[in-house]
Amino acid sequence: MMKSQVALLYVLIIMSEGSAQSLKPRRSVFFSDVNLKLFKEPDFNGLSSLLVREDIGLLFVGARGKVITLSLDDITVKTSEVNWTVTSKEKALCKVKGKSIEECDNYIRMMHTLDDGRILVCGTKAFNPTCTHLMFEEGNVTMEDSFQNGRGKVPFDPNENFASMVNGNTLYTAGSINFLGTVKSFQRHGRNTLRTEPIWSWLNGPNMISMKFAEISKHSNNNEDDNVFLFLTEIEIKDQHSNLRLSRVARVCKSDLGGLRILQKKWTSFLKARLDCPFGDEGSASLVQDVFFLQDENNVTNSIFYATFTLITEPSSTCSQSAVCAYKLSDIRQVFRGNFLTETAYGTWVTYTGAFPSPYPRSCINDEMRASGVKTSYDLPDSTLQFLKNHPLMEGAVTPLTGKPLLVRSMAQFSKIVVDKVTSLDGEQHNVMFISNNSGWLQKAVWSGDDGGRIIEELQLFQDPQPIRFLQLSRSGQLYSATRTAVAQLSVRDCSRYTSCADCLIARDPYCGWDHLKGLCAAVAGASNFSMIQNLIDGDATMCPSSHSVSMQITDIHLTADVAQFLPCSPDANLPISWSFSGKILEPGPRHILLSQGLVLTPSFTDEGIYTCETVEVVKGREHKKAVIQYHVKMSEVGGVNWFQAIVIYILASVCVLCVMLIIYVCWKKKPQNHVGSASVSYASTEQPEGKTESCNCGTDADTKKTKPTRVKESSKSTI
């Protein structure tokens, strides 16, 4: 009886063991163990923009009512502060319009560097968007006295999403242009102002995400005009009664001037297509969250867009899933050269099968079009412009270059992403992804055709769970991240967390290699093959010097026969563990319950000996084992401290049994009874809506199934 009661003490541990493994980081590093610099002040909040200026060594941080500058080398060093607040009159007028005190402040939402070195800065200014310029002269940051109307450049609402970019001195923005935030537009500002046509087929309830510029003309054989891409989500337009949101990518041409008679001061090159990132249950839609453009210096059409996605879930659902998909620029351009959708008389959208007007610019203006007399968009005939106005949507969808996501994580909400191109010791280039989530963590991941996606490690950058809103990477290898209340600085080339040669090589971190002269894991940037070893193919640890083997200290433990004892094993990496007893693999059985965090041992006198816990890591078919802890189990007669432990365990087990019986009794008493004479029996409290279930099935393969972290230490801090 005692055995069965003692076993109940481990029910919660056993229930937490996931039968399926999901893609999870090799190592989780908690806030106290991350080597980073943090900037945070008591009155610092509402952080709403971030700008890296490597030319002057400053990080510009836009927040509520101020812009501060921090040293890029050490963000704990504050170099200046420029206040830009609202007057009491402006705040009172804003409150009269129904806004709160917090909303009626000036949130610095946008900062862009111009060709002359000035910074264009725009704030919400108590729901009256305003812009000005910051200047850096002789080590000082100052603000111009002149101000411009910022409507259409930044939203009125400080919490609304929008996208912006500057090319040269030309500003492109996508967001709301009215006080209520109900009218949204994708536009170019300046001398040749253009915007989207204000009809629902162009933009249907859009949420603007990111904007990128591609210098197509630089590597084009026919001098095609440059492209501007906008990534967004919007309500599906194929069915006017649908509320389903989809991810889109839209394109316009840099030299677009609008139409001469039709589409005056409107884009004549606006096209959009669905952005597909297939993961999760069939039929579920994934929404793009952020996009990073990694440019190919040799051929811009080979450049890659990396994007984070999350699945649409019910508001009450606890199941979340995120992914990273990558898209080749040439594939996106190919979709925009494909077929179109056209709207029927019934409001639905079908494939267009009619004749195209001539000329029709499926691409931006190039030499072929110029030779036919179309040198600018003013030269396009009215028939072409009318077709453009009525057919903004392409039939084809943009699919990932791998056909599927680079990586998928269950129980995660990815937010921002940046990608760094790293050269390893063998001269090969590797794209390392840094992906933030909504709980203050950062994932460091790579993808290869052989391995697929793998997360090298995850780092807790902020102690309090909160969304990471900004990620910026400098050329010197410093990563700057920010929430609404703090800024963190992290070196992406920090290899100090790999404490042994084997760990350094098996991790296959493109940044790191083992320096056998210094006896430590260090950054490979600038290092030579003479002093350093690195193996990113299979992490062969046999390359390591034999002198770096570490002897394992043995822990003596005295146990009592037939009294269960938990032997913990907490590796520093998120890897499966195995147990051996006196040199032989320990198999699960009545006396040996194997868990991801340790071993439940109910010993007999034949179970004395050495118990070893090892991590097991398989890389390219090669198995790597590393001893974590060893126990020397010795048996004692019942008595003394062990007898006292047995009594405590017996009492706790009895309490568990009583609790279970009480729960069963309460549930039985609450069960509805169908009494004689009742008109009906109601089960509304347990009925599920048709077609829905409370279960959370977050994946379709071994890499996307839900699991819980294997680490126990500070597990409540992680939501991954």
Side-chain angles (χ1 to χ4, degrees):
M1 179 179 178
M2 188 176 208
K3 294 179 187 177
S4 61
Q5 290 175 329
V6 169
L8 287 174
L9 293 175
Y10 305 102
V11 167
L12 290 177
I13 300 177
I14 297 172
M15 288 179 64
S16 69
E17 298 293 308
S19 59
Q21 296 293 319
S22 74
L23 181 64
K24 56 185 178 182
R26 181 180 182 271
R27 171 179 281 129
S28 298
V29 185
F30 291 86
F31 179 78
S32 58
D33 299 322
V34 180
N35 183 20
L36 56 75
K37 296 180 174 67
L38 192 69
F39 175 82
K40 190 174 184 178
E41 289 183 340
D43 61 341
F44 181 74
N45 59 28
L47 193 153
S48 44
S49 56
L50 204 67
L51 175 66
V52 173
R53 283 290 301 268
E54 295 191 73
D55 57 330
I56 55 178
L58 292 179
L59 179 68
F60 285 76
V61 182
R64 180 179 177 179
K66 66 176 70 174
V67 176
I68 64 173
T69 59
L70 310 175
S71 169
L72 277 185
D73 295 330
D74 184 354
I75 63 167
T76 62
V77 178
K78 181 178 175 181
T79 61
S80 71
E81 177 175 322
V82 177
N83 292 319
W84 190 15
T85 58
V86 297
T87 65
S88 56
K89 182 179 179 180
E90 290 172 325
K91 184 166 290 191
L93 182 61
C94 176
K95 290 173 64 178
V96 167
K97 297 177 181 177
K99 303 303 176 181
S100 66
I101 295 178
E102 289 75 19
E103 291 174 316
C104 292
D105 216 316
N106 187 26
Y107 292 85
I108 315 304
R109 295 297 310 275
M110 183 177 75
M111 291 187 292
H112 288 298
T113 303
L114 304 177
D115 285 346
D116 59 6
R118 292 184 303 165
I119 295 175
L120 173 65
V121 53
C122 299
T124 57
K125 205 69 163 40
F127 274 72
N128 183 26
T130 306
C131 297
T132 185
H133 295 91
L134 293 175
M135 296 170 293
F136 181 79
E137 296 176 346
E138 299 179 355
N140 297 318
V141 177
T142 58
M143 180 178 290
E144 286 185 349
D145 294 332
S146 59
F147 300 93
Q148 301 86 40
N149 191 327
R151 298 188 180 192
K153 296 179 180 178
V154 293
F156 289 71
D157 190 335
N159 298 311
E160 181 187 317
N161 287 341
F162 82 110
S164 67
M165 60 160 271
V166 163
N167 176 248
N169 287 325
T170 303
L171 175 66
Y172 297 80
T173 64
S176 64
I177 59 175
N178 66 333
F179 180 86
L180 296 177
T182 54
V183 180
K184 298 190 178 183
S185 179
F186 172 25
Q187 53 189 325
R188 183 180 67 200
H189 304 267
R191 197 169 44 178
N192 297 310
T193 301
L194 291 182
R195 62 176 56 183
T196 44
E197 184 75 7
I199 52 178
W200 70 278
S201 60
W202 281 43
L203 293 173
N204 189 25
N207 181 26
M208 310 304 187
I209 302 298
S210 183
M211 199 179 297
K212 306 297 176 185
F213 176 78
E215 197 174 6
I216 302 295
S217 60
K218 190 174 182 179
H219 299 105
S220 174
N221 294 327
N222 56 5
N223 295 314
E224 183 180 341
D225 190 21
D226 297 329
N227 292 179
V228 177
F229 293 98
L230 170 66
F231 295 85
L232 68 151
T233 66
E234 67 170 356
I235 300 172
E236 183 180 25
I237 71 169
K238 287 185 180 181
D239 182 356
Q240 294 188 30
H241 303 290
S242 172
N243 289 319
L244 178 65
R245 295 195 73 85
L246 298 175
S247 297
R248 303 274 195 207
V249 55
R251 181 221 71 186
V252 294
C253 304
K254 175 183 176 180
S255 299
D256 195 337
L257 299 176
L260 193 59
R261 287 174 294 274
I262 299 174
L263 292 178
Q264 289 184 2
K265 295 192 175 182
K266 305 294 194 305
W267 296 107
T268 66
S269 54
F270 179 85
L271 296 175
K272 63 181 180 178
R274 184 164 62 87
L275 193 66
D276 189 23
C277 184
F279 68 102
D281 298 330
E282 185 177 357
S284 59
S286 54
L287 298 184
V288 61
Q289 302 297 309
D290 190 34
V291 179
F292 183 87
F293 186 40
L294 186 65
Q295 298 196 53
D296 189 306
E297 300 299 331
N298 298 320
N299 187 347
V300 69
T301 60
N302 291 330
S303 301
I304 299 174
F305 296 94
Y306 289 83
T308 54
F309 289 81
T310 60
L311 281 184
I312 300 176
T313 58
E314 296 292 333
S316 60
S317 174
T318 58
C319 176
S320 59
Q321 226 178 340
S322 291
V324 175
C325 279
Y327 307 90
K328 203 170 181 179
L329 175 56
S330 58
D331 292 338
I332 296 179
R333 297 178 69 216
Q334 190 62 37
V335 169
F336 287 127
R337 293 191 179 100
N339 293 328
F340 301 86
L341 294 178
T342 187
E343 187 178 12
T344 67
Y346 303 100
T348 58
W349 288 73
V350 298
T351 303
Y352 178 77
T353 57
F356 294 132
S358 179
Y360 180 77
R362 296 186 186 219
S363 66
C364 294
I365 293 177
N366 53 35
D367 284 344
E368 182 181 350
M369 295 174 63
R370 294 183 187 100
S372 67
V374 180
K375 297 182 179 180
T376 72
S377 58
Y378 287 152
D379 300 322
L380 293 171
D382 290 350
S383 58
T384 295
L385 295 174
Q386 192 63 47
F387 184 88
L388 283 164
K389 180 178 179 180
N390 297 331
H391 299 85
L393 183 60
M394 308 307 298
E395 179 187 40
V398 180
T399 57
L401 62 87
T402 56
K404 60 181 181 180
L406 303 184
L407 57 90
V408 177
R409 285 215 66 189
S410 300
M411 306 307 294
Q413 288 186 317
F414 290 162
S415 52
K416 302 298 181 180
I417 182 171
V418 295
V419 183
D420 192 18
K421 188 174 290 186
V422 183
T423 303
S424 55
L425 278 179
D426 58 8
E428 295 292 324
Q429 288 194 325
H430 306 266
N431 297 337
V432 181
M433 299 173 283
F434 295 92
I435 310 148
S436 66
N437 68 15
N438 284 339
S439 301
W441 286 75
L442 180 78
Q443 328 284 311
K444 180 182 182 180
V446 294
W447 185 91
S448 67
D450 295 333
D451 291 346
R454 59 185 179 91
I455 303 176
I456 298 172
E457 62 182 357
E458 64 175 354
L459 309 170
Q460 187 183 20
L461 301 187
F462 300 93
Q463 194 164 15
D464 299 326
Q466 53 187 314
I468 294 178
R469 297 163 56 87
F470 301 97
L471 279 183
Q472 296 283 341
L473 184 64
S474 71
R475 290 189 296 270
S476 60
Q478 297 295 313
L479 184 70
Y480 305 94
S481 61
T483 65
R484 291 189 65 87
T485 59
V487 185
Q489 177 186 356
L490 175 79
S491 172
V492 297
R493 301 169 186 169
D494 182 11
C495 303
S496 62
R497 287 182 290 276
Y498 307 117
T499 56
S500 69
C501 178
D503 191 31
C504 183
L505 266 59
I506 296 172
R508 293 182 294 157
D509 188 332
Y511 288 104
C512 303
W514 184 260
D515 190 327
H516 53 80
L517 296 181
K518 296 180 179 179
L520 51 80
C521 193
V524 299
S528 67
N529 292 333
F530 173 75
S531 63
M532 189 164 287
I533 54 176
Q534 184 186 50
N535 190 331
L536 301 182
I537 298 176
D538 58 9
D540 185 6
T542 60
M543 301 169 62
C544 291
S546 58
S547 60
H548 286 281
S549 59
V550 180
S551 59
M552 177 60 58
Q553 184 176 358
I554 300 177
T555 302
D556 291 333
I557 185 168
H558 297 270
L559 302 182
T560 302
D562 296 329
V563 177
Q565 177 70 38
F566 179 61
L567 306 182
C569 178
S570 299
D572 60 358
N574 299 325
L575 299 172
I577 60 174
S578 69
W579 286 85
S580 61
F581 170 53
S582 297
K584 296 182 180 180
I585 297 298
L586 192 64
E587 301 294 340
R591 293 183 176 274
H592 313 108
I593 302 176
L594 306 180
L595 306 173
S596 66
Q597 296 293 306
L599 168 67
V600 179
L601 177 63
T602 308
S604 66
F605 282 93
T606 61
D607 291 318
E608 286 188 322
I610 301 294
Y611 290 80
T612 303
C613 173
E614 297 176 307
T615 57
V616 181
E617 188 171 9
V618 179
V619 180
K620 297 292 182 66
R622 187 193 301 268
E623 187 176 74
H624 303 275
K625 288 189 174 183
K626 177 185 176 183
V628 179
I629 193 169
Q630 282 187 320
Y631 296 97
H632 185 193
V633 173
K634 301 177 181 179
M635 301 303 298
S636 303
E637 296 293 337
V638 177
V641 174
N642 287 321
W643 176 244
F644 175 76
Q645 291 175 343
I647 293 175
V648 172
I649 292 175
Y650 180 83
I651 294 173
L652 292 174
S654 300
V655 171
C656 289
V657 173
L658 290 175
C659 289
V660 172
M661 294 176 64
L662 180 61
I663 292 172
I664 294 174
Y665 175 75
V666 170
C667 292
W668 179 81
K669 290 291 289 181
K670 289 185 177 181
K671 181 180 180 181
Q673 303 296 322
N674 188 5
H675 297 288
V676 176
S678 298
S680 63
V681 180
S682 174
Y683 296 96
S685 61
T686 59
E687 184 178 347
Q688 295 296 317
E690 184 178 354
K692 295 183 180 180
T693 176
E694 289 185 349
S695 63
C696 177
N697 181 15
C698 284
T700 57
D701 53 45
D703 286 341
T704 61
K705 292 179 182 176
K706 183 177 72 173
T707 187
K708 293 189 177 182
T710 57
R711 290 197 63 172
V712 171
K713 177 185 176 183
E714 300 185 34
S715 60
S716 62
K717 296 183 180 180
S718 175
T719 62
I720 300 301

